[in-house]
């Protein structure tokens, strides 16, 4: 079981970007923690970060084109959450279970962050829990895939 | 560790209500399945259903008033999702981790179901997964509480 | 053939509440007149009034749970007309022919009364005809049920 | 007692127009069935169809100008329901009881069909019942007129 | 100098239509009074009423096609004021000075009457003055045409 | 002179609910302070709290049904302020002078708290003054009732 | 018969302000031409210009306070057209016939100029006719006042 | 293969109507040019112009009622583009391939021209190309019909 | 203790301005009555009226600049209620307890009167009580200031 | 004559992406069919697909920078249709005739697909015709270019 | 070279008004600092403050009427930024380069401060930099005027 | 002191793209002129252009990752101004003073250009001044950085 973890724009700056909003943990630390939890759950991670909308779409498409062993998707689309129909279309196109994660809670920030174009093509959403949110999404996604396997 | 599971209005009709939208599983079956999973996770469930907005608020308040051992909340507020500021205020008031669950995906139904007044006082949301969604929320919530305990 | 007649919040004050809008007839008089007409039509009435949204939902659900001989529904949801998704869901859930009645015409009053959340789960609507509107709805509903019986 | 039945634009195509929405009954069949029911009720029908907004207004005005024996109005304004202030003004001007009928339920179709400019100058509305809706409107209207006669 | 006076839908019912809004003067009386004033001013009137949007457009077009001696336009478009882009286009197309007249003041009535699609292709507007408004428009239009002649 | 004081949903949690917004005074303390001030003013209080919209409506109706000596109303409708047409209708129905009180200032919080459905059926409003606001409302209401008595 | 002519903010710059929009005639020239026409019509003018909203209100109020012989009002409120409820209230308060004049056509300019807060307290409006528009308004207003005198 | 070409309101004035927007070619010239191109393509044209919304609907309906050899539709609905649900319903009802043509580009003109009620019942749209746009639509439509024939 | 009472635009016309809305009492009478009540309460009044937005701001600022003994503010901003951010900023800037008073109830009048730009910088609001509303505000404000003094 | 055909994001998945919406034909098959038709018409194609908004803009710019023999543009911008001002600016910048193509009809899907930011910089649009739509656009574009050549 | 610096309403309170938003520097100190910088740049300042919208307009107009040596404008319109079309018209009318300055950043405050009616008649805007923003605007404006002089 | 100058999509076409809007100067010429001015001011420039949103974000991030000597930012985000939350987040993340520049004035163009998602994370904005605007921004930014250095 392999889970793709996609971090969108500006998440590579984690730890040094507006820490009063996003915290001081770096993306490497988030990924390490997530990888450890994945090992516990007997699953594998493939992580990817880009500031390019097109590169994020390419990586999502790779789930069916180049890397068909990818079973599920965890995505924090950063600023593209609110503006990218193309990203949404990619998630819908690959037809894999997906979870949306946000470090802070976009619903408690500026009005233009209250719309998520990907919310209704994802199974679940965790937000405002910092790095813990990624772990929650991972556990939920693994459970989801196990349930589908058993069914 | 005790989790309160609250089912809002019309969920008592589950299994016989618009089965093309909500499926044929009954609420008793959902609750049984959830209880089994809770036992596996070493946690306890307290389930509650009502069609009365005030009764749902009373039960949420009981988490701090009458039943302080209640650690977390799973809630499917049904039609009150979209209209109840009072329910939202109750969830915020008790300050316990909460997950929002929907059997179908309200974001894919009528426009008046696209707003959730409780979304930003909950940590996460699962929707469109039928009864599986409750299990996912339970697992995420238990993990969340364990993480907080350890911290 | 039994018809459930549900009067929503504040209708128990009929006759003494803002008579320039709602008229001077009391709810007892409306119910008597309606019962007389029901007898003429060879049908039976079950009337119910409550100020509690949850109690109204409970009574609608009873049409399939406790009282399956209830064939159709006449409802004046009062102020809940404009705000209750849960009430709408209950009407849809029981899948019985329903008519919406209003004593005054909400479309000619304040803007927040121009939306009816139940309108598209009802077959018809009568408004602005005072107590006569209930009679019209009763006749239409009986005819509707007879037609379905014959079909 | 004479009831005017007005069918708006495209209703002459009934039976051959998008049958998955409007059904397979023709307008002639609707009118026949309605006429039979009118005879039962001891009333007379005058039916009229046009695709011309102005012709529909002329016919409504005729209720007070050329044909003062017309007592009530049943109207399915088709696409003009949502766009014609002039039609609404005509119905208000003749000051006769009126019922709005729709074969399908416009409130469950595209957003531009959710507004009815004539709704608040009509006493009642029936929709989503196919040809049965006309019969319901006829019965309600005859009852309404009888009640006014007796009063 | 000839002025075309166009009365839109339902104005033929003037005097008998909702007199609490529109008054008790008939259209014939309005036209007579207007004709008298036109004679005083040394101008000629051509009056026209129709309930048909297309017929109103035909008559406006006639100002350049069939009746090029028509110098100016006074129009009360009734309910088409708020909905007819085609009527607006016709007024713009003939490029004659035009005045908009309303017996009552649409800006003080329902919200859907607050938009006038012809307002910005007319030079002026008089409203809420009953039949006097037509006289005012006539005088203004004659003065306007005289000024243009002299220039 | 008797004043009814109604506290809406979640106000029973006062003192332990989000104290950074609502302060640390309990509802019992608010009520005691208010009762003391009422005694000074020679008036009597009847206080009531419920999380149930219907129960709040029942208590307001009791002002004319069961307890006609109730002269005025002070109400903090909590989350129902923004969503309850039925509560508004009840206040309008009993036709007693009413004051709206809020501990915090809803106009400085989330956008969905900026609408008050009861504001225009109340004489006055005090907000953002904590428990002092209730005292202000009491004094204003007693003065108002005295003025009416004298008139 | 005395007519008050009020020019709002920036109209004192007429002739040198954005001549491609407002033309090259100065305000003095407009006033002279208007005065000549007033003399022809046997009426008297009182003209006033200010950039101060309060001063414009003071002058309008003077029609009933200091200068009760003022019979009618012609006003070009400039930029206050779109923003001043206070100006509107003043016009309504003095209860004199009033005409709104604009040199250019605000309905053909930026969206924020499409709303006129005074339109529904005026009898008529002339726009887009440059200085001629004032003359038209004067003639209409004198005719209006004569008609009222005779009535 | 026969194509119906329908010109809506005011298009009969082409060549003399606001030539800076619509150009100087007359409708007869457009039709001639289109007929020539139709002959080249081995197809036949039936052209129709009216200012009456109802007449346009009648002609569209004739495609299935009176003139079933009509294979496709080219329509420039003029001002009805933006306001006519009835016209849209007619196009949908006859279920023939249709193209929308505009001489100028309504999306670059006033905001009320930016909505096309027929756009989603047409296969394609050409705009802002003057008379050439009709030719393009004809060629596309003939190709479309040939493709369907061959399929 | 000194209270500043500010009357906004057009309130100087009180008693002769639209008496069906504002009543027949003059501003002098309101001020006298208020002064009498102030004497009873052992406080002093400073009253001010202007039609000039800037003058109202100057007077509010004087509370901290020229007249620091001014303890609280009662303001009826008239038409500036709905349009003046500058007035709001002035009230916030002086940081004195303030009450908003309206003679009629703006929430029951035109839609553009439903917004109050000062509401959230005031402690309370009284409306629709005519001159009594000023007295209520005075009593509330004096009580408020006494409570602050004692604290 | 050379036509550039640009396929936007996710179109590379054609045939395997949501086939109930987009059909089972692959992009290669679309391109082959289009190339064949281009050969028939004596024109040449240059096709390009990318998921990167910037890459699409680069390719459009190449029409004037690197590849000036490109005469026209056919573009299916996929999800960027609704969100990319930059893409629109690129199309406007190269000033070549352009056609917008969509396989399904975005106007019949979710509301966020109803806006096309490129519609008013294209000459025409074909949608809902699957791969046939590209052929139609090609034919229309070749005809358009031939017409311009001849002119 | 002379620059006019205009401070709008409430800026005279700078230093004592809500210092957590506006800082503790007084307007005199801002003006001194600005004058020093102006001397360095070889330019002259004319500063003006008023709470009166009309007085601000008068001063702007003086740039072309009374004081034609004024070359550029720096304006902080305070609360009038969001509400004054008349101020905007004045800036446009004098046709001098203008810069908008705000001490705090209105785009980060309440929604009603997010619109600037003068933004599109100014060349630039500086905000959220306190008194430094004025200096920046001064330098930009002097550079701008020098560039125009040289051209 | 080093300033990063970022030109967004389509700016590489400057001089040949819609010259009636953007002028005839090329980007190379803008950059040369800017570099000359930077040398005068004793600062250094780093210029960058891309049509790729992600590449623009990468370059902005480089200010803190790869190129920490970059002190300030001048950015003309072209079409991304109105749609890119990710770009805005990048500017906020690097926490360097930034100025927004536009060659034309987007506030005077189409409505979709009136929103700037980066405006409130920039210190200032210059628009509608062509290439001069970049120079103004450079000077303002250098002054800003000098002031911060001195502080």
């Amino acid at each position: 079981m392999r889970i793709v973890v996609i971090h969108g724009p500006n998440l590579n700056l984690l730890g040094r970007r507006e820490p009063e909003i996003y915290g001081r943990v770096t993306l490497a630390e988030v990924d390490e923690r997530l990888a450890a939890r994945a090992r516990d759950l007997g699953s594998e991670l493939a992580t990817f970060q880009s500031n390019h909308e097109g590169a994020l779409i390419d990586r999502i498409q790779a789930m069916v084109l180049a890397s068909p062993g990818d079973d599920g998707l965890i995505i924090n689309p950063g600023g593209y959450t609110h503006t990218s129909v193309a990203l949404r279309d990619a998630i819908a196109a690959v037809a894999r279970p997906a979870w949306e994660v946000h470090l802070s809670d976009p619903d408690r920030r500026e009005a233009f962050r209250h719309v998520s174009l990907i919310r209704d093509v994802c199974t679940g959403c965790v937000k405002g829990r910092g790095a813990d949110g990624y772990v929650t999404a991972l556990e939920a996604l693994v459970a989801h895939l196990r349930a589908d396997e058993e069914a």
Side-chain angles (χ1 to χ4, degrees), chain A:
Chain A
M1 189 175 295
R2 192 168 54 222
I3 307 292
V4 182
V5 180
I6 294 184
H7 306 291
N10 299 306
L11 285 161
N12 57 327
L13 291 185
L14 205 62
R16 67 164 81 196
R17 166 196 182 199
E18 298 174 276
E20 72 289 358
I21 299 178
Y22 299 101
R24 294 198 174 278
V25 181
T26 65
L27 192 60
E29 290 163 355
V30 169
D31 282 345
E32 270 166 49
R33 187 167 155 213
L34 207 51
R37 186 69 186 117
R39 278 190 300 272
D40 293 354
L41 294 165
S43 67
E44 192 186 341
L45 287 198
T47 68
F48 181 78
Q49 192 276 332
S50 177
N51 294 325
H52 296 243
E53 186 179 11
L56 300 173
I57 295 168
D58 287 347
R59 182 61 193 88
I60 293 168
Q61 289 191 356
M63 295 178 76
V64 294
L65 294 178
S67 178
D70 296 339
D71 295 298
L73 174 65
I74 291 171
I75 183 163
N76 177 342
Y80 295 136
T81 307
H82 322 298
T83 64
S84 178
V85 174
L87 201 64
R88 168 208 174 87
D89 284 351
I91 298 173
V94 298
R96 294 286 181 283
W99 274 70
E100 181 185 358
V101 177
H102 298 281
L103 296 162
S104 66
D105 185 347
D107 293 320
R108 300 197 181 193
R109 298 180 62 197
E110 302 93 330
F112 61 77
R113 295 194 206 271
H114 295 190
V115 169
S116 166
L117 281 169
I118 72 161
R119 194 150 299 171
D120 70 328
V121 292
C122 291
T123 301
C125 178
V126 196
K127 60 210 171 56
R129 289 279 296 161
D132 283 4
Y134 282 95
V135 177
T136 298
L138 176 65
E139 290 167 342
L141 196 51
V142 168
H144 179 157
L145 291 165
R146 293 255 151 83
D148 284 3
E149 253 171 43
E150 285 157 23

